[in-house]
Amino acid sequence: MARPSYDDYCRLREEFFNREQSRGLGADLVLSADEQRLNRYVMHLKQQELAKGVENPYELVSARHFFEMLERINESPLFKVIQQMPKGGVLHAHDTAIGSTELIVRATRHEHLWQSGNIPQADGEPMPVYKFSRTKPAAEGDWRLVADIRRSIGDEAYEEAIRKMFTLYTKDPLNAHRDINDVWRKFMALFICFEPMVTYRPVWEEYFYGCLEELLADNVTYLEFRGLLPPVYDLDDRTYSPEEIVQMYVDQSEKFLRAHPNFMGVKFIYAPLKFCDDRTFDGYLTLVQKLKERFPQFIAGFDLVGQEDLGRPHTDFNERLLQLPPAINFFFHAGETNWAGRRDENLIDAILLGTKRIGHGFAALKHPVVLEQIKQRQVCIELNPISNQVLKLVQDFRNHPGAFYFSDNYPVVVSSDDPSFWCASPLSHDFFVAFMGLASARADIRLLKKLALNSIEYSSMEVAEKAAAVQKWTTAWNKFVEETLKTIPAEF
Amino acid sequence: MARPSYDDYCRLREEFFNREQSRGLGADLVLSADEQRLNRYVMHLKQQELAKGVENPYELVSARHFFEMLERINESPLFKVIQQMPKGGVLHAHDTAIGSTELIVRATRHEHLWQSGNIPQADGEPMPVYKFSRTKPAAEGDWRLVADIRRSIGDEAYEEAIRKMFTLYTKDPLNAHRDINDVWRKFMALFICFEPMVTYRPVWEEYFYGCLEELLADNVTYLEFRGLLPPVYDLDDRTYSPEEIVQMYVDQSEKFLRAHPNFMGVKFIYAPLKFCDDRTFDGYLTLVQKLKERFPQFIAGFDLVGQEDLGRPHTDFNERLLQLPPAINFFFHAGETNWAGRRDENLIDAILLGTKRIGHGFAALKHPVVLEQIKQRQVCIELNPISNQVLKLVQDFRNHPGAFYFSDNYPVVVSSDDPSFWCASPLSHDFFVAFMGLASARADIRLLKKLALNSIEYSSMEVAEKAAAVQKWTTAWNKFVEETLKTIPAEF
């Protein structure tokens, strides 16, 4: 077959290139003149940052571990723009890992907090046990009042130790944990250690309100979070029921929304541990129905959590899940694994059970029919890139399956999973690595804007709520564009 | 919407599962009773090996660096089966990196070999310079006869040093090279260092013949290799022309085929460096046409090599490439990168220039229209998983894009690129990691068989040659099945 002329070739190539670009996430958005100007500035910053990594790949922010690059990201002007950007909502994050470590530090300032054991000086040492109590806890242990420890070593030293303990952050992340089970053990230990601290009722309410404040400060204005509803307690030895705990969430949310009418809303996905026996599981199902009846607006639906590779497969639960009334929506974690042909097949169940969104969906890439159905049914994939790196699914962000999902406009949002444990902001850091690492070097603010819009589109808000949310978000976005343009150099 | 009954659900799930399985690579093959028995044994070995990594991911052979697992792979019974398996052809490998280090060691036993500089004791030290010459080379240097060095330190010590020098193998592969440029520098230095050793005519012929012997010993019976045609020389200061060098390849191939009539053939892709100026490039194009005219059967076509991220983009060469007569087929390297939106766009040119196959295609995953065209035009992707890991594109084989290509039956072959430099066999190790890491845990010998068949299907053999090749391969395959069945436990 004869080759085309060079002119014909160039035309063909341009068509091919444009066709491919037009399929990318956000390619359907048309930018205003102001947005175009902002885009030129943002792309200048992006290209400048990426250029460092072209000559010297070791300096490529998107190829390295987040912990190695955190300081540089925090100082980068592009990150500052992303922080200011109205990013819509967080649709995938877990109850007690949303707030920053500062909220945990604040919890340790409350009266009546007891500690047994020491804060580890080195990795591998056991973590202390905490408990709020008027009197020394009856359980065995060398209980001391945190207030006394603070007095003996000083507030600053104590709080610094707390900050170091409640994070997976380390200077040498590639060698700190040998494998995925190793890092998950540490990850679970963090949750367990501070649970009695955060489930103390005054802390519980203050912590959740604090989370909402931190979201807003990061320009996130909607939250749909997952929670285990661990037993909340108080000094009078009262243990609150799940309904009462949800009521606390509702009350704090309403209080927050009254104070911040630009915030778009809060919803909750009941997401207990998948490491359970059938009887416990039945209890979950009874509970979620009760909660849905009592809080029909607040309860978005049901999910199951825990390290997928080691958890029971979905097929163990399907028969029971099918008995739930259709009013209970599913938001299953599925495919949070490197494996193919094992627990990743939970993806099939998630789809067939009619899940509204998929948590992570890292392995969906290897399931052609799942991919087809994701598009057909518009099942949103909740990407959590930093989480996937810290929890050892992927090292170079450019190898994250999100790159594939972005390239062909799969329904996706970017979220943050457990930002507390990786010293990340509620959403800005994940947006940053998604923009710099998962997305093509060519992807521009249309991708970021689309991610924000998707977080409304794929949320559990009702039609009317969504319309109101889009309006609030658009106002914020336009203001953000206007304000940012005031600060950028004239040449853009 | 009402949920299905559990029975209906189970039926739906099975259909979904089967539909997805039926799309995988090799799913269209129907196994004979004997093959099914062999398959049960192979799957038993595979599951046994993978099981080690379920409980302890650090022991998962497919998740770790090849160098860390090499000894274990070599001892594994599954690897031994794969070695014995007729694997068809190697369609992607480079001239002087196909043969094992033993062939280089053998080269150093030739008379008249001079060495200037020492064999490095530590990483980072400069490599020595070699030259065959009757008298001490005129070029500056502390030239000593290798024969004298051998006498002074002993043959064994010298050859051990040679083995250590000419490999990227290291006990600590994750820390040995900081980034992709770093490992490529070392990789290029190896080629440059032994070039004068291997381009000495007696070694050149013996080395190439040795490569064919090693391929056959690894049960690979076809070779389509890329080469730079570096100047070959002899002791009389004669430098051979590219045509003469190709003639040597042809002569050695014919000699080998006479001695081993089961071997299916050898073809050559002229693949010079893409780091060149336009005038040099014009010289490449003139040469490939001359070669094709003179060796119409032996010359398969044209390609360009070198680290893609740093090389000139394809758009620099397109106008000239389009002037080549249609008889010259292309086999372009493209998308051997983690980047999206940079040199990975060479993929578009590869497709539009009508490439017959794509070398690596690691980044094709992020190009939806490229993926579409790969299927439509049946452009074969030449996967080289170990190469991609050693050269730092991916760490966990389960994250290799080959997993995606396998899952949806993209046209692919598995090859080995430069097996010499990673102490790998000509093809068995890449087949092993493809089977254990890229493929699903469920993928069975149909996938391996399909890879072998694809290597014939997507080769440059003519229709009649392919038919003969399939016949030879089928005979060998049936014999392999029969022989292997004699050795496996009765319970399978």
Side-chain angles (χ1 to χ4, degrees):
Chain A
M1 211 173 62
R3 305 193 191 279
S5 71
Y6 184 56
D7 280 356
D8 284 351
Y9 179 87
C10 289
R11 208 172 45 248
L12 281 170
R13 192 187 193 280
E14 203 187 329
E15 277 167 23
F16 192 115
F17 180 81
N18 290 338
R19 190 146 65 92
E20 202 155 67
Q21 293 295 310
S22 74
R23 284 173 69 156
L25 184 73
D28 56 326
L29 299 182
V30 178
L31 298 180
S32 70
D34 276 355
E35 286 174 324
Q36 284 177 36
R37 199 182 148 217
L38 175 62
N39 196 34
R40 284 194 293 278
Y41 176 62
V42 165
M43 290 310 282
H44 164 75
L45 297 178
K46 176 171 175 171
Q47 299 305 342
Q48 209 172 35
E49 181 62 54
L50 292 179
K52 294 178 197 165
V54 172
E55 202 183 334
N56 187 350
Y58 194 69
E59 292 302 320
L60 184 64
V61 70
S62 50
R64 297 280 301 286
H65 197 286
F66 177 64
F67 294 163
E68 295 175 309
M69 287 287 144
L70 181 54
E71 276 178 48
R72 201 166 103 193
I73 294 173
N74 288 343
E75 281 160 21
S76 89
L78 177 57
F79 179 68
K80 287 174 182 139
V81 174
I82 288 176
Q83 273 186 308
Q84 291 310 311
M85 181 180 288
K87 288 171 285 289
V90 157
L91 300 192
H92 186 116
H94 295 277
D95 50 5
T96 55
I98 301 171
S100 73
T101 317
E102 293 314 306
L103 297 181
I104 307 292
V105 168
R106 194 161 77 185
T108 66
R109 291 182 197 139
H110 278 257
E111 271 186 297
H112 307 300
L113 178 59
W114 296 80
Q115 176 182 318
S116 166
N118 294 313
I119 295 181
Q121 301 295 307
D123 239 27
E125 291 176 26
M127 296 180 78
V129 181
Y130 289 96
K131 178 82 188 161
F132 279 96
S133 178
R134 269 208 195 84
T135 56
K136 191 186 245 197
E140 213 179 315
D142 60 328
W143 295 104
R144 291 156 297 160
L145 274 168
V146 166
D148 291 342
I149 307 175
R150 282 177 168 273
R151 259 190 297 277
S152 79
I153 67 167
D155 282 334
E156 213 172 305
Y158 187 79
E159 296 187 353
E160 203 41 39
I162 287 285
R163 282 185 195 100
K164 272 198 186 147
M165 179 165 65
F166 287 118
T167 181
L168 293 171
Y169 179 87
T170 151
K171 290 273 178 203
D172 186 19
L174 301 184
N175 297 303
H177 301 284
R178 220 169 65 147
D179 62 38
I180 185 172
N181 289 7
D182 213 23
V183 70
W184 267 84
R185 264 189 295 274
K186 173 77 184 284
F187 178 55
M188 291 292 103
L190 296 183
F191 276 109
I192 292 164
C193 178
F194 77 64
E195 187 183 302
M197 212 189 269
V198 82
T199 53
Y200 172 54
R201 181 179 179 165
V203 172
W204 184 258
E205 294 176 325
E206 170 189 291
Y207 176 90
F208 183 64
Y209 197 89
C211 289
L212 297 176
E213 287 180 319
E214 290 183 345
L215 286 161
L216 186 60
D218 198 38
N219 293 295
V220 175
T221 47
Y222 178 74
L223 174 65
E224 208 163 300
F225 72 114
R226 286 157 167 92
L228 294 155
L229 300 177
V232 169
Y233 68 103
D234 65 20
L235 293 183
D236 302 315
D237 278 336
R238 179 159 168 211
T239 304
Y240 293 86
S241 71
E243 290 90 332
E244 289 170 312
I245 299 168
V246 172
Q247 188 64 57
M248 292 174 204
Y249 279 145
V250 170
D251 293 344
Q252 295 303 314
S253 300
E254 286 176 355
K255 181 176 145 198
F256 185 80
L257 282 158
R258 278 193 302 275
H260 305 282
N262 289 333
F263 207 81
M264 308 184 311
V266 181
K267 292 189 192 291
F268 178 76
I269 297 163
Y270 176 47
L273 270 174
K274 63 172 78 174
F275 300 89
C276 66
D277 56 30
D278 289 343
R279 215 179 120 193
T280 309
F281 193 78
D282 286 335
Y284 296 163
L285 299 186
T286 311
L287 177 55
V288 72
Q289 292 176 77
K290 271 203 264 179
L291 293 174
K292 183 71 188 174
E293 267 167 50
R294 173 124 172 230
F295 309 98
Q297 294 304 310
F298 189 72
I299 301 293
F302 185 71
D303 183 18
L304 291 161
V305 300
Q307 191 185 347
E308 192 169 15
D309 288 340
L310 306 182
R312 296 178 68 181
H314 231 296
T315 44
D316 278 10
F317 305 125
N318 291 340
E319 186 166 9
R320 288 178 155 79
L321 288 167
L322 286 164
Q323 284 157 25
L324 279 178
I328 309 290
N329 284 323
F330 296 135
F331 298 87
F332 289 125
H333 277 72
E336 188 186 4
T337 176
N338 281 328
W339 280 97
R342 293 193 72 255
R343 292 294 181 275
D344 54 302
E345 291 169 1
N346 286 341
L347 284 159
I348 298 176
D349 297 297
I351 294 281
L352 287 178
L353 290 166
T355 199
K356 295 289 166 191
R357 299 195 300 263
I358 292 174
H360 297 286
F362 190 91
L365 183 76
K366 303 174 189 172
H367 288 271
V369 183
V370 169
L371 289 177
E372 210 176 82
Q373 292 299 312
I374 281 172
K375 279 208 168 174
Q376 194 176 311
R377 301 174 184 220
Q378 285 288 296
V379 177
C380 175
I381 307 172
E382 302 161 345
L383 301 172
N384 302 286
I386 299 173
S387 168
N388 297 153
Q389 190 193 53
V390 173
L391 296 177
K392 288 195 173 285
L393 290 187
V394 66
Q395 201 166 38
D396 187 320
F397 284 116
R398 294 172 301 171
N399 285 342
H400 191 287
F404 171 79
Y405 306 139
F406 284 0
S407 74
D408 202 20
N409 193 27
Y410 277 81
V412 290
V413 291
V414 165
S415 199
S416 53
D417 209 8
D418 308 281
S420 175
F421 294 155
W422 23 94
C423 301
S425 56
L427 192 52
S428 292
H429 286 103
D430 280 281
F431 258 54
F432 181 87
V433 303
F435 188 52
M436 298 298 283
L438 277 56
S440 153
R442 294 188 185 273
D444 61 21
I445 62 165
R446 291 175 301 165
L447 181 131
L448 294 167
K449 193 176 173 185
K450 185 75 170 187
L451 285 174
L453 288 166
N454 277 359
S455 75
I456 300 172
E457 168 80 18
Y458 297 108
S459 75
S460 301
M461 287 188 269
E462 314 255 313
V463 176
E465 286 177 297
K466 280 185 189 177
V470 169
Q471 206 157 36
K472 282 183 190 178
W473 176 84
T474 305
T475 306
W477 174 266
N478 290 339
K479 190 169 159 229
F480 152 73
V481 173
E482 194 185 319
E483 293 298 317
T484 312
L485 286 184
K486 285 181 193 159
T487 70
I488 73 174
E491 69 259 34
F492 294 101
Chain B
M1 211 174 63
R3 304 193 192 278
S5 72
Y6 184 55
D7 280 354
D8 284 350
Y9 179 86
C10 289
R11 210 175 41 252
L12 280 171
R13 191 187 194 280
E14 204 187 329
E15 278 167 21
F16 191 114
F17 180 81
N18 291 337
R19 189 145 65 92
E20 201 155 69
Q21 293 296 309
S22 75
R23 282 172 71 156
L25 185 72
D28 56 327
L29 299 182
V30 179
L31 299 180
S32 71
D34 276 356
E35 287 174 322
Q36 284 175 36
R37 198 180 148 219
L38 176 61
N39 196 33
R40 284 194 292 277
Y41 176 61
V42 164
M43 290 310 283
H44 164 75
L45 297 178
K46 177 171 176 170
Q47 300 304 344
Q48 209 172 35
E49 180 62 52
L50 292 179
K52 295 178 197 166
V54 172
E55 202 182 334
N56 187 351
Y58 194 69
E59 291 302 319
L60 184 64
V61 70
S62 50
R64 298 280 300 287
H65 197 286
F66 177 64
F67 293 163
E68 295 175 310
M69 287 286 145
L70 182 53
E71 276 178 47
R72 203 167 102 193
I73 294 173
N74 289 342
E75 281 160 21
S76 89
L78 178 57
F79 179 68
K80 287 174 183 138
V81 175
I82 288 176
Q83 274 186 308
Q84 292 309 311
M85 179 180 290
K87 287 172 285 289
V90 156
L91 300 191
H92 186 116
H94 294 277
D95 49 4
T96 54
I98 301 171
S100 72
T101 317
E102 293 315 305
L103 296 180
I104 307 292
V105 168
R106 194 161 78 185
T108 66
R109 291 182 197 138
H110 278 257
E111 273 185 294
H112 308 302
L113 178 58
W114 297 80
Q115 177 182 318
S116 166
N118 294 314
I119 295 181
Q121 300 296 307
D123 239 27
E125 291 177 26
M127 297 181 77
V129 182
Y130 289 97
K131 177 82 189 161
F132 278 97
S133 178
R134 268 208 194 88
T135 56
K136 189 186 245 196
E140 213 179 316
D142 61 329
W143 294 103
R144 287 158 299 159
L145 273 167
V146 166
D148 291 342
I149 307 176
R150 282 175 169 275
R151 258 189 298 275
S152 78
I153 67 167
D155 282 335
E156 213 171 305
Y158 187 78
E159 296 187 353
E160 203 40 42
I162 287 285
R163 283 186 193 99
K164 272 198 186 146
M165 179 165 65
F166 287 119
T167 182
L168 292 171
Y169 179 87
T170 152
K171 289 275 178 203
D172 186 18
L174 302 184
N175 297 303
H177 301 284
R178 221 169 64 148
D179 62 38
I180 187 172
N181 290 5
D182 214 22
V183 69
W184 267 84
R185 263 190 295 274
K186 173 77 185 286
F187 178 54
M188 290 292 104
L190 295 183
F191 275 110
I192 291 163
C193 178
F194 76 65
E195 188 184 300
M197 212 189 269
V198 82
T199 52
Y200 171 55
R201 180 175 179 170
V203 172
W204 183 257
E205 295 177 324
E206 173 189 290
Y207 176 90
F208 183 64
Y209 197 89
C211 289
L212 297 176
E213 287 180 320
E214 289 182 345
L215 285 161
L216 186 60
D218 199 38
N219 293 295
V220 174
T221 47
Y222 178 74
L223 174 64
E224 209 164 300
F225 71 113
R226 286 159 167 91
L228 294 155
L229 300 177
V232 170
Y233 68 103
D234 64 19
L235 293 182
D236 302 316
D237 279 338
R238 182 162 164 205
T239 304
Y240 293 86
S241 71
E243 290 92 331
E244 288 170 312
I245 299 167
V246 173
Q247 188 64 56
M248 292 174 204
Y249 279 144
V250 170
D251 292 344
Q252 295 303 314
S253 301
E254 286 177 354
K255 182 177 144 196
F256 185 81
L257 282 159
R258 278 191 304 274
H260 305 283
N262 290 333
F263 207 80
M264 307 184 311
V266 180
K267 292 189 192 290
F268 178 76
I269 296 163
Y270 176 47
L273 271 173
K274 63 173 77 175
F275 300 90
C276 67
D277 56 31
D278 290 343
R279 214 179 121 192
T280 308
F281 193 78
D282 286 334
Y284 296 163
L285 299 186
T286 309
L287 178 56
V288 72
Q289 292 177 76
K290 270 203 264 179
L291 293 174
K292 183 72 188 173
E293 265 168 51
R294 175 126 170 229
F295 308 98
Q297 294 303 310
F298 189 72
I299 300 294
F302 185 73
D303 183 18
L304 292 162
V305 299
Q307 190 186 348
E308 193 170 12
D309 287 342
L310 306 182
R312 296 178 69 180
H314 232 296
T315 43
D316 279 11
F317 304 126
N318 292 341
E319 187 165 7
R320 287 180 157 79
L321 287 167
L322 286 165
Q323 284 157 24
L324 278 177
I328 309 291
N329 285 324
F330 296 135
F331 298 88
F332 290 124
H333 277 71
E336 187 186 4
T337 176
N338 281 328
W339 280 98
R342 293 194 71 254
R343 289 294 181 276
D344 54 302
E345 291 170 0
N346 286 342
L347 284 160
I348 298 177
D349 297 297
I351 294 281
L352 288 178
L353 290 166
T355 199
K356 294 290 167 189
R357 300 194 301 264
I358 291 173
H360 297 285
F362 190 92
L365 183 76
K366 303 173 190 172
H367 288 270
V369 183
V370 169
L371 289 177
E372 210 177 83
Q373 291 299 311
I374 281 171
K375 279 209 168 174
Q376 194 176 311
R377 301 175 185 219
Q378 285 289 294
V379 177
C380 175
I381 307 173
E382 303 160 344
L383 301 172
N384 301 285
I386 300 174
S387 168
N388 297 153
Q389 190 192 54
V390 173
L391 296 177
K392 289 194 172 284
L393 289 186
V394 65
Q395 200 165 41
D396 187 319
F397 284 116
R398 295 173 300 170
N399 285 342
H400 191 286
F404 170 80
Y405 305 139
F406 284 0
S407 75
D408 202 19
N409 192 27
Y410 278 81
V412 289
V413 290
V414 164
S415 199
S416 53
D417 209 8
D418 307 282
S420 176
F421 294 155
W422 23 93
C423 300
S425 55
L427 191 53
S428 293
H429 286 102
D430 280 281
F431 258 54
F432 180 87
V433 302
F435 188 52
M436 298 300 282
L438 276 55
S440 152
R442 294 187 184 274
D444 61 20
I445 63 163
R446 291 175 300 164
L447 180 131
L448 293 168
K449 194 177 171 183
K450 185 73 170 189
L451 285 175
L453 287 166
N454 276 359
S455 76
I456 300 173
E457 168 81 16
Y458 297 107
S459 75
S460 301
M461 287 188 269
E462 315 255 315
V463 175
E465 287 176 296
K466 281 185 186 175
V470 169
Q471 206 157 34
K472 283 182 191 180
W473 178 84
T474 306
T475 306
W477 175 267
N478 290 339
K479 192 170 157 227
F480 153 74
V481 173
E482 195 185 318
E483 292 297 318
T484 312
L485 286 184
K486 286 181 193 161
T487 68
I488 73 173
E491 70 259 33
F492 293 101

